[in-house]
Amino acid sequence: MNEWDATSYAGKDTILRVVREEAERLFALAEPEEAWEAPTACTGWTTRDVVAHIVDTTEGYFAAFDAARGGGDLGTAYGLPGMGDRVNAQALALRGVPQKELLDRLRADFERMQTILRGLGEDEWAGLTVPHFYMGPLPAYFYAAGQLMDYAVHSWDVRQGSGRAHGLPGEAADLLVPFMFVLWQSTIRQGADLTPFEIGIRVGGVNGGDFRVSVGARGMTYEPGKLDGLPAVIEFDAGSMVLTTFGRSNSGTVRGDLRVADRYLNLFFRI
């Protein structure tokens, strides 16, 4: 199943195809005039603000790749704890841009980013280190995953604002599953109780499986493994894991000690 592993060059074409499908889905959602001021699942944001946020994020990626190729220095990473406030300010700063102008800018940014990602060779996909504004140095493939998070999760946000029942597309969810463990590692609350404990995570889908998670003074680590002997296991389908990690829902089936599962799920701030 290497074509579904976006950390591998063999998965490059798959993730870029799915990113394009999710981007086209968001463009279609944002195009109607009446959609522009419609509420979304993001508190205080309309569809307009979601579009502005992705514009801001993508244009930050351009600066990151320029820096990676010797075109500048982004300095010390801003960090994820302050990301929510900053991305909100950045999005709201674009509220005065007309709908067509901002959507045209988003489409142009999307195509430019696709060109950058498609141009990465096999050595660069995992071997080129690119400084993410919030998270610091990351392998280049993470930016394909970042685009998928932007378009798939924020399309979900726009649909959620409509009040209609819907779900997260399976291919997008499957590709994002491995990156959710990385997000968990990166979003542990400051001052969280890191007294050591273990828990199991069982995930469905093509990138799913059984994972043993350890929490301790150094944070969180995880590895595939049998779940025997653990005090609790949380079972997710791919979509519910993604939406839970991003704070869009409280999902999952807990088997075992509810207190351990509650402790784990509340270790993290949500982005």
Side-chain angles (χ1 to χ4, degrees):
M1 303 298 290
N2 284 342
E3 68 270 21
W4 289 97
D5 176 9
T7 70
S8 164
Y9 189 72
K12 174 183 170 182
D13 288 345
T14 301
I15 191 168
L16 293 186
R17 172 183 63 78
V18 176
V19 169
R20 179 170 291 279
E21 291 170 358
E22 292 302 317
E24 294 294 345
R25 196 169 278 125
L26 188 138
F27 299 155
L29 288 168
E31 273 185 343
E33 185 176 349
E34 65 274 14
W36 202 236
E37 299 292 341
T40 73
C42 300
T43 303
W45 278 11
T46 66
T47 303
R48 167 195 57 194
D49 301 315
V50 167
V51 170
H53 164 59
I54 302 176
V55 165
D56 171 61
T57 298
T58 307
E59 291 176 359
Y61 291 173
F62 302 153
F65 273 88
D66 285 346
R69 298 190 185 282
D73 181 7
L74 294 187
T76 304
Y78 191 86
L80 287 177
M83 186 178 80
D85 288 340
R86 186 179 185 276
V87 299
N88 183 59
Q90 295 288 101
L92 298 187
L94 295 173
R95 276 193 167 179
V97 181
Q99 181 177 12
K100 183 180 185 306
E101 181 180 340
L102 197 60
L103 278 172
D104 286 348
R105 181 171 164 184
L106 179 62
R107 287 189 178 94
D109 286 348
F110 169 73
E111 294 298 345
R112 180 178 172 186
M113 194 65 213
Q114 283 275 299
T115 298
I116 290 171
L117 294 170
R118 288 205 174 278
L120 294 170
E122 187 167 0
D123 292 340
E124 291 182 314
W125 187 250
L128 177 66
T129 299
V130 183
H132 193 279
F133 183 84
Y134 295 102
M135 298 181 71
L138 294 171
Y141 64 71
F142 191 91
Y143 288 79
Q147 286 274 273
L148 186 55
M149 295 175 202
D150 288 333
Y151 284 106
V153 176
H154 285 310
S155 290
W156 187 95
D157 290 332
V158 174
R159 294 193 301 273
Q160 183 75 356
S162 73
R164 291 178 57 82
H166 65 111
L168 192 66
E171 290 189 334
D174 284 338
L175 285 163
L176 288 176
V177 161
F179 297 95
M180 297 303 98
F181 286 103
V182 177
L183 280 187
W184 269 332
Q185 288 180 316
S186 303
T187 55
I188 295 175
R189 295 179 188 273
Q190 292 183 347
D193 178 7
L194 298 180
T195 304
F197 72 98
E198 288 187 301
I199 194 168
I201 302 291
R202 173 168 286 161
V203 189
V206 298
N207 280 322
D210 290 348
F211 300 87
R212 295 182 70 97
V213 175
S214 298
V215 175
R218 290 187 166 184
M220 171 203 149
T221 60
Y222 65 96
E223 62 181 359
K226 294 183 178 180
L227 306 183
D228 300 344
L230 294 174
V233 174
I234 308 174
E235 299 175 350
F236 294 104
D237 64 83
S240 65
M241 182 189 187
V242 172
L243 294 173
T244 296
T245 307
F246 273 99
R248 296 330 195 251
S249 67
N250 292 306
S251 302
T253 299
V254 177
R255 303 197 185 277
D257 192 329
L258 291 171
R259 293 170 299 177
V260 174
D262 183 75
R263 183 180 169 197
Y264 179 77
L265 291 168
N266 286 280
L267 278 177
F268 313 101
F269 62 87
R270 290 172 160 186
I271 59 174

